Amino acid sequence: MKQTRRGLLLVVSGPAGVGKGTINLSLISRNSDIRMSVSATTRSPRPGEIDGVHYFFKTDAEFQKMIESGAFLEYMRVFNTHYYGTPKSFVEQELAEGRSVILEIDVQGAMRVKAAYPDAVLIFIAPPSMSELKSRLIHRGTESTEAIERRFETAFQEMELVDRYDYVVVNDILDLAIARTEDIIVAERCRVSRNGELIEKLKGGRSAL
Ligand code: 5GP
């Protein structure tokens, strides 16, 4: 019998530049039973971003319609400018079919997910130090100095909510960070509370002997 039938809802957050995207891509390429949720957003695509792959790019009116029809598991306005939201149907379907889903969303969104789905697993990817984070952001070279400063400020605000997460993974050496995250997933799948059906079956197994 398979361990845990329902997939895990995994929320992976962390400051910009910490490497959470790289960790998540590696997780989905190594584990065919883990999927990434694709968020909807009203911000414009950055060069190289593909609709339906990186985000579902929506107009304000389209996004509002989705809110009204209850299409989001959670949504919010990030940086007071654009909306971001997690479409509910994909997540629900994957979980029901036994696959785990990663939501790469901000800390506020993570709190909303935990409120709505108390068995979601919240993982915070942290930098080895804040100075290391700053130098990674600068070397990434994708943003202006002003944008980097803003993201760095946001990083400090995000760190305030780390104690509401279930796990913290330091991304010092990428391969280690990936292995730690995979270990968390394995441990969560083995939780007694997620294996009620298996345990009941084993307990009632005497009659089949
Ligand atoms: P970016 O514009 O750089 O792709 O993302 C900006 C921020 O929005 C990041 O912190 C990202 O994790 C967050 N974000 C992306 N999708 C969602 C979502 O569906 N919900 C929430 N709450 N935040 C999201």
Side-chain angles (χ1 to χ4, degrees), residues 39 43 46 55 74 76 84-86 104-106 109 151:
S39 295
R43 83 152 163 75
R46 297 195 188 112
Y55 282 105
E74 63 77 42
M76 70 172 304
Y84 293 83
T86 307
E104 190 181 313
I105 61 176
D106 82 318
R151 284 192 182 268

Side-chain angles (χ1 to χ4, degrees), residues 5-160:
R5 294 199 153 259
R6 203 173 149 78
L8 297 175
L9 182 54
L10 302 157
V11 178
V12 178
S13 315
V18 79
K20 57 186 185 296
T22 313
I23 293 172
N24 289 339
L25 283 180
S26 167
L27 290 176
I28 58 166
S29 70
R30 290 156 55 121
N31 300 276
S32 58
D33 58 350
I34 303 180
R35 299 281 160 88
M36 280 297 290
S37 153
V38 178
S39 295
T41 184
T42 58
R43 83 152 163 75
S44 339
R46 297 195 188 112
E49 282 184 337
I50 301 162
D51 188 37
V53 175
H54 298 93
Y55 282 105
F56 293 108
F57 295 100
K58 302 285 176 196
T59 62
D60 276 331
E62 287 168 340
F63 201 96
Q64 288 303 330
K65 256 195 185 151
M66 289 179 76
I67 295 175
E68 282 157 27
S69 66
F72 291 118
L73 191 151
E74 63 77 42
Y75 71 91
M76 70 172 304
R77 230 171 161 181
V78 179
F79 303 134
N80 282 329
T81 44
H82 300 298
Y83 282 98
Y84 293 83
T86 307
K88 197 192 291 184
S89 57
F90 173 82
V91 173
E92 299 265 343
Q93 190 178 330
E94 293 296 314
L95 295 181
E97 288 174 10
R99 285 181 290 274
S100 297
V101 181
I102 300 177
L103 310 185
E104 190 181 313
I105 61 176
D106 82 318
V107 292
Q108 307 288 343
M111 297 305 122
R112 284 167 199 249
V113 171
K114 190 75 178 179
Y117 295 77
D119 66 347
V121 181
L122 270 50
I123 304 172
F124 192 91
I125 310 294
S129 69
M130 293 311 269
S131 57
E132 169 66 21
L133 179 70
K134 194 161 195 178
S135 77
R136 284 186 201 173
L137 271 178
I138 292 166
H139 287 112
R140 195 160 80 161
T142 50
E143 276 152 308
S144 64
T145 314
E146 196 191 27
I148 289 172
E149 283 304 327
R150 197 176 55 193
R151 284 192 182 268
F152 196 59
E153 227 1 86
T154 308
F156 275 104
Q157 290 165 16
E158 286 168 340
M159 297 299 293
E160 290 296 315

Side-chain angles (χ1 to χ4, degrees), residues 195-208:
N195 286 279
E197 205 181 317
L198 165 78
I199 292 166
E200 285 314 307
K201 213 161 191 180
L202 291 172
K203 280 184 189 167
R206 192 176 288 129
S207 57

